[in-house]
Amino acid sequence: MKFLLRFFGFLFTAGTILFLAGLAAVAGLFWHFSKDLPDYSQLQNYEPPVMTRVHAADGSLLGEFAKERRLYLPIQAVPKLVINAFLAAEDKNFYEHGGIDYTGMARAGVSYVQNFGSNRRPQGASTITQQVAKNFLLTNEVSFTRKIKEALLAMRIERAYSKDKILELYLNEIYLGLGAYGIAAASLVYFDKSVNELTVAEAAYLAALPKMPASLHPVRNRARAIERRNYVIDRLQENGWITAADADKARKDPLAVTNRSNGAHTFAGEYFSEEVRRDIFERYGEKKLYEGGLSVRTTLDPKVQVMARKAMVAGLVNYDEAQGYRGAIQKLDLTSDWGVPLAEIKSLSDISPWRMAVVLESNDQSARIGFQPGRELGGAVSKQRETGIVTMDGVRWARIKGRAPTAVSQVLQPGDVIYADPLYKDGKAIEGQYRLRQIPELSGAMVAMDPHTGRVLAMVGGFSFDQSQFNRATQAYRQPGSTFKPIVYSTALDNGYTGSTVMIDGPIEIDQGQGNIWRPENFSTGKYQGQVTLRNALRLSLNTVTVRLAQEIGMPVIGEYAKRFGVYDELPNYLAYALGAGETTVMRMATAYSMIANGGVRVKPTLIDRIQDRYGHTIFKHDQRECRGCDAPEGWKNQPEPQLIDHRERVLDSMTAYQITSLMEGVIQAGTGTALKEVGKPLAGKTGTSNEAKDLWFVGFSPDLVVGLYVGYDKPRSLGRNAQAGHTAAPIARDFLKLALADKPATPFKQPVGIRLVLVDAKTGLRAAQGQNRGVVLEAFKPGQAPPFYDPTLVAGTDVIDGTQQQGISPDADRAVMRSGTGGLY
């Protein structure tokens, strides 16, 4: 008996010693692993990388910029269905345990022992809290060391934070595949929905993803994805979080994911979106752009953008097709399935409704084409094949070596890779028939701007962003040609000249020194008007008059005005620059004309209205006007109405701005811009053809909209001996303005106080004779500038010398050599 007592005593003592030793070992391990644990308090101030979202002026999404596509969603905004789905899939006892599921850990330990040495990944049993500890504070290392640290951190996190806070961190941090981090981004990426719109089946699928998003791809691993989704649905039903009927319906739902479209593609706003990205990068840097969660409200008007894109593309294509057909993009072997090799060819995705196709067979009357098949979400080429017919009407434009085709087979041969779009007749697409297209070699840019604020409403930076990301609206420096002349004339009008001032249009020679003589000529070489008013000189874009005017005013003064308007930073003092020989951008020219259109007030072009940080605080606002009275106490107490105080600088006298606007109205009504008369609204503007017709421009405006554009080759070359801006650039502006101003009233330009309108003879610039109704124009004058009464002895093209009327101008008198130190020009 004593022996048994001693034996049990020994066992008890040994057990106690072992127990205490075990406790000491455990305590030692806890101390060992606890001493270098990460600081979990950082979770309190955790700011995950959140994508910057860019919106158009109407609130529609234009673009997203992120390294990790994530939108942060407070737990209060997460629907109960979504929360329950993730709890069912990951941790159904989340709201009951203290951070560790001991049963699960034991099961994982047994599994580890069983699989030791098999190179199989050990089974995990981490709670949501443990996953938060791992994702935020630890690495993905597979070891007991990390699991112990994970457990210790989980217990500490549970003591420091509420369950809702832990769940909020988890739901916003987890990676759910396809580049989506967090449930808000995943909901948009997979289903193009907010989390509040998710169905039971959709929420269950997202909840199935955290452990293995790549293995549950909705297309590549569809069967496995549905199986795992249905497992989550079963757990939801088992836990009583959905009804049996809801579960049955959810299991039967197909796994239908959405290939979410790019907002910039939708509005043809890729160039605009990229320009905004560059702007934010320059303001705040890379980290703020891609991780700062900025909300950017831009100035882009989607409707105006589509109009601008449509007009610009049509203009480029029309010119390019007039030059003839250059042939197929490339040849394709048709001996096997043509869809797969065609799908491998890079096509432009932003020129819809154009589609890449391959010619399958052709004859004299038609050609059968097969369209490039799409790709499924997983990247596989779609098995669907779509074909169409190109008839003679679809290739009639395609002249080859100057000759119009007489058969379709002359243009299209089997294996030719081409672009095609629907063939229209009487405004309706003919079903199954298509028209041959080719990517234009000619390019260009367009900017539409609100002249009162500088807000850029639309921007076209080229034919296709997919083809070239070079933004010709802001990055291409080109010669503006005669579109610069209104700056020269504004300088003159601001310094005492009027639209009735008479100048000489005749041959002129400029001595540049060292025997170099420059002889500027008008577009109509050898034709001169003699005496001509400034109004007519601008209307007819007379180069010799502009050069003489620049001589009289002085290039330094013109350079100062050009700098004020922002056309050039520094303008060399050479007379050729008065004709637009210097290089500038479409954006700069549109901004300069905006300052004329708004009455002479400085505007700064902007693509961004306001920027807010991730907390909703406004950190940038374009409109800097002061609002006096806007912060009045709540309620109306008969106080004065709020007033917007504009502190912007004046760059041009308002009366001068009206005068030059009036002169440019003449360009539209009876000058080089008559193509725009079709718009049927008050318009002012100027065409411009650069040296050797390498660039064709038009810049103009209505009272509330400015448009500037140019067309030209990226590697500058002439558009042709007879190329004129009035025939190429102006019609593009016309087509755009007809759309943009269609529902706008015909508002005349606002006449400033002090301007006096006087009826003058259009040729002489003198006051019109009493009863004179023909050949007259209303000219705008500042106080004291009105011309004297009409003198019938003075008519355009004649001189009165010693009382005798002399016809014409002495060639010798007008070819006087001017020595003004203009320096070398061309």
Side-chain angles (χ1 to χ4, degrees), residues 283-284 294-296 608 610-613 617-620:
R283 290 175 189 270
Y284 304 112
L294 302 177
S295 173
V296 184
I608 300 173
R610 65 108 180 99
I611 303 175
Q612 293 177 320
D613 63 18
H617 304 138
T618 298
I619 58 176
F620 168 79

Side-chain angles (χ1 to χ4, degrees), residues 638-667:
N638 296 318
Q639 68 264 38
E641 293 182 8
Q643 288 184 318
L644 286 173
I645 309 301
D646 195 344
H647 298 290
R648 291 179 297 180
E649 175 191 2
R650 178 165 291 282
V651 298
L652 192 68
D653 180 80
S654 61
M655 289 187 283
T656 301
Y658 184 80
Q659 286 179 311
I660 188 63
T661 298
S662 176
L663 264 58
M664 285 194 284
E665 281 188 280
V667 174

